Amino acid sequence: MTFLGAWWLALAGAAAVPLLLHLRRRPVTQRLAFPAVRWLLRAQREHSRELRLRNLLLMLLRTLAVLVLAAAAAQPIVRGVPGGHAPTALAVVLDNSLSSTRAAAGDPALDVLREAARAVVDAATSADRVWLVTADGQVTGGTAAQVRDAIRTVAPWPGAGDLPAAVEKGATLAGTVRGLAPRLVVLTDGQATAWRRPAVAAGAGVAVFVPSRGAGTNAAVLEASPSPPRWSPRGRLRVRVVGADTVPVTVTLSGRTLARARVASGSDGWIAASPVERGWVAGTVSAPPDAMRGDDERHFSVWIGPAPAVSSSGAGRFVQAAVDALVADGRAASGDAGAAATIVAAPADEVRRLPAFILPPRDAARVPQANAALARLGVPWRFEQVVTGAAPATGPAWLRGATVRQRMRLVRAGARDAGASDTLARAGGDPWIVAGPRWVVAASPFDTAATDVMLKAGFVPWLGEQFAARLAGDGGPLLSTTPGAMVTWPVGLDALESPDGARTTDNSRTVTAPVQPGVYFAVRAGARAGALVVNPEAEESDVAGWSAQEVGARITAVSVRGVDDASALARRAFGGDGGAALLGPLLVLGLGLLALEALVARHGRDA
């Protein structure tokens, strides 16, 4: 036997009150000077046995009534009684993440989980409180019928959700109702990547159910990203897939087929493109449908425009040679340094406007003029003293093995000049190449006396990406996120354009990403000014899973039981061995004792 409110047992101490009152009773002795007293004394002796028995019975009835009512308040539960369970606060945690849509043995895992969840709720009684918590954080509470209806209408979430957070939310809900046993039942497809973080359900008992996952691999598109993010107008699309050996993919752009290819599983596939579209466009990379349809297609977006015009006569021979190679490849054009749209590559003290690829001054004596130019351009970085000595360059993968021998220290300007920026590369742990809106600043000249980075194969493509993605035009940012995540736009917007062309007015900087995967365009002054690409997490395509016992090992609770049989889940969900609550019988018994006590006391007064 266990007690849901054991602290109420302290009331049993009140049973000493009638006992003490009984023991403190004293016979009343009084001397009267008339003969009738002798008759009364004789009557008392004749009835003393009856009085003692009645007083003893009253003491016992009152003591028992107090003990029984104290026990009823503590809500005792008798374990092992078949066909029943203790009054329970039950939270049903249902995994509706993308991976739960994978079909196993003919049915999607979510269908199996929903059916098992309904069976658990069917076992609830009117004395229970029930909630439904899904992987996407939605909560439904109320009667068993209301929760049962909510289970039936649970839709798949097109992303990973957060199962550990759902478990912790369910434990909090179940622990809020005093007098009810807190319990959780977790129904999940067992995907291992969903449980990278352990869950804490302190104070609750937990039952975990994982259905059979089935065998086989999952073919999915894990990544589709344009390189560079802006095509001018040519570019490449990097595609990564998972599946058996090679996976056939189809690339579409603005609704038309752009390319078809086969991509090796686990390797980067590169698809070259030279589309006719211009401006911001949306595309997809799709694989043949399989048992999990939600990851067979991945969205991407790219800005397509003319090749950026670049003037690099003051940037040194290596930068000039790289620009010539980009011009020959069609990814850049020779520009006039005086034209407003031309990207200027030159030392800072010679730059008069943006966009610009900015290098340190040729002479250290020109540092004050260079910093004045940076301040005038709104660049929140300044050059300081020259640093010599070989240091490794770190940053993008293509920089591996590069060395920086001479550089100027870059420092952030004061709060007055603060602005958004990214650190693209470091040397000796310090910022070496930084970038922001329409500017890139390097702390070393690109010559062999300062660095050997120009000799790396990735230098020319990287330089072309900076020209196209950071310095050319003002097409706006390209952001990637997952369903329902918070996104902060680096620029203001007036509306968000959905894949069907509808525009929703929204001028806030921070927005909640749409739930439905796709490409959403930021709109400013009536034109597209950036793109938000929403795709499910790539790890949702990893079908490796755990058993109910392995998932249970990731949950900290009073007790955790893994359940492999759906038919036994309802019994385990409410405590495992069944049980009966004695609150009702004890209340009836206590009231009966009080009624009997009143009857005995009244009979004594009438006598």
Side-chain angles (χ1 to χ4, degrees):
M1 180 183 293
T2 58
F3 296 90
L4 296 182
W7 55 89
W8 287 105
L9 291 175
L11 288 178
V17 175
L19 179 61
L20 291 174
L21 291 176
H22 177 78
L23 294 176
R24 289 178 60 85
R25 290 174 63 89
R26 293 289 185 267
V28 178
T29 306
Q30 187 174 5
R31 295 181 179 274
L32 298 175
F34 57 90
V37 172
R38 291 194 296 270
W39 179 84
L40 292 174
L41 292 175
R42 185 171 62 250
Q44 182 181 14
R45 285 193 297 270
E46 291 173 355
H47 296 287
S48 60
R49 180 181 179 87
E50 180 184 349
L51 290 172
R52 284 195 299 270
L53 288 176
R54 189 179 72 247
N55 290 335
L56 182 60
L57 179 59
L58 286 172
M59 181 199 70
L60 291 175
L61 289 174
R62 291 164 179 166
T63 303
L64 285 174
V66 173
L67 292 174
V68 169
L69 292 176
Q75 301 186 63
I77 304 297
V78 178
R79 300 296 181 186
V81 177
H85 63 263
T88 302
L90 177 69
V92 178
V93 179
L94 180 60
D95 182 359
N96 66 329
S97 63
L98 175 62
S99 64
S100 71
T101 63
R102 182 171 181 258
D107 295 320
L110 182 57
D111 289 351
V112 179
L113 297 175
R114 275 195 293 240
E115 188 62 33
R118 282 197 295 267
V120 169
V121 176
D122 286 342
T125 68
S126 59
D128 300 322
R129 288 285 302 276
V130 187
W131 296 269
L132 172 68
V133 185
T134 53
D136 56 326
Q138 298 299 309
V139 177
T140 302
T143 65
Q146 291 171 325
V147 173
R148 192 182 304 111
D149 291 341
I151 291 172
R152 185 173 59 253
T153 59
V154 167
W157 178 255
D162 192 340
L163 276 172
V167 168
E168 291 166 355
K169 184 179 293 185
T172 300
L173 291 169
T176 57
V177 184
R178 301 192 67 176
L180 298 185
R183 298 286 305 175
L184 265 75
V185 56
V186 180
L187 305 105
T188 172
D189 68 346
Q191 186 183 34
T193 58
W195 299 95
R196 290 177 176 171
R197 177 176 73 85
V200 179
V206 181
V208 180
F209 172 68
V210 176
S212 173
R213 294 179 57 84
T217 59
N218 176 43
V221 182
L222 302 182
E223 183 179 356
S225 55
S227 179
R230 299 169 186 256
W231 292 352
S232 53
R234 296 164 50 196
R236 296 188 302 167
L237 190 68
R238 187 174 78 162
V239 177
R240 189 162 55 92
V241 300
V242 64
D245 297 331
T246 61
V247 177
V249 298
T250 301
V251 181
T252 63
L253 196 67
S254 294
R256 70 176 183 88
T257 301
L258 183 67
R260 287 187 173 90
R262 296 190 71 90
V263 180
S265 176
S267 301
D268 288 342
W270 293 93
I271 300 174
S274 184
V276 297
E277 290 84 356
R278 293 294 182 267
W280 281 110
V281 294
T284 61
V285 177
S286 56
D290 60 0
M292 190 163 79
R293 302 294 301 275
D295 60 0
D296 296 335
E297 182 179 78
R298 203 155 191 90
H299 302 271
F300 70 92
S301 184
V302 62
W303 187 88
I304 307 172
V310 181
S311 173
S312 57
S313 58
R317 63 188 183 95
F318 284 100
V319 173
Q320 183 63 57
V323 171
D324 292 342
L326 292 170
V327 170
D329 193 41
R331 297 179 60 182
S334 297
D336 179 3
T342 298
I343 299 169
V344 176
D349 54 316
E350 300 176 15
V351 176
R352 299 292 179 265
R353 57 170 179 77
L354 299 179
F357 189 89
I358 303 171
L359 300 170
R362 296 186 180 92
D363 186 349
R366 299 283 298 172
V367 168
Q369 290 86 341
N371 286 337
L374 293 176
R376 187 183 68 254
L377 296 171
V379 178
W381 290 86
R382 303 292 181 265
F383 295 109
E384 285 195 345
Q385 71 274 16
V386 176
V387 179
T388 58
T394 58
W398 68 270
L399 275 176
R400 187 176 297 114
T403 302
V404 178
R405 288 180 288 273
Q406 179 180 315
R407 57 190 167 91
M408 283 190 170
R409 191 178 300 279
L410 281 174
V411 296
R412 286 277 298 187
R416 180 183 58 185
D417 299 318
S421 65
D422 299 321
T423 298
L424 306 183
R426 293 180 178 273
D430 296 328
W432 182 51
I433 301 177
V434 295
R438 295 169 63 81
W439 55 265
V440 176
V441 177
S444 297
F446 288 104
D447 59 44
T448 53
T451 179
D452 59 2
V453 69
M454 307 82 60
L455 307 181
K456 296 293 180 180
F459 177 70
V460 174
W462 173 81
L463 196 62
E465 184 172 327
Q466 303 312 305
F467 292 152
R470 291 189 177 272
L471 303 177
D474 58 351
L478 173 61
L479 305 179
S480 296
T481 190
T482 56
M486 298 303 296
V487 179
T488 300
W489 290 98
V491 295
L493 64 147
D494 302 326
L496 199 63
E497 180 183 319
S498 61
D500 62 3
R503 293 186 175 183
T504 304
T505 301
D506 193 340
N507 54 13
S508 56
R509 289 286 302 276
T510 300
V511 299
T512 301
V515 172
Q516 188 62 36
V519 177
Y520 299 80
F521 295 107
V523 178
R524 188 172 65 228
R528 292 177 175 177
L532 176 65
V533 182
V534 180
N535 281 307
E537 296 88 340
E539 56 264 26
E540 277 299 285
S541 300
D542 186 349
V543 297
W546 286 344
S547 66
Q549 289 72 23
E550 290 172 319
V551 172
R554 302 289 292 170
I555 302 174
T556 301
V558 172
S559 64
V560 182
R561 297 287 297 273
V563 182
D564 299 316
D565 183 6
S567 62
L569 182 60
R571 181 165 56 87
R572 293 297 182 193
F574 288 97
D577 299 322
L582 298 184
L583 173 60
L586 287 175
L587 284 176
V588 172
L589 178 59
L591 293 175
L593 289 171
L594 291 175
L596 183 58
E597 185 272 344
L599 183 62
V600 172
R602 181 176 180 181
H603 176 73
R605 288 194 299 270
D606 293 343

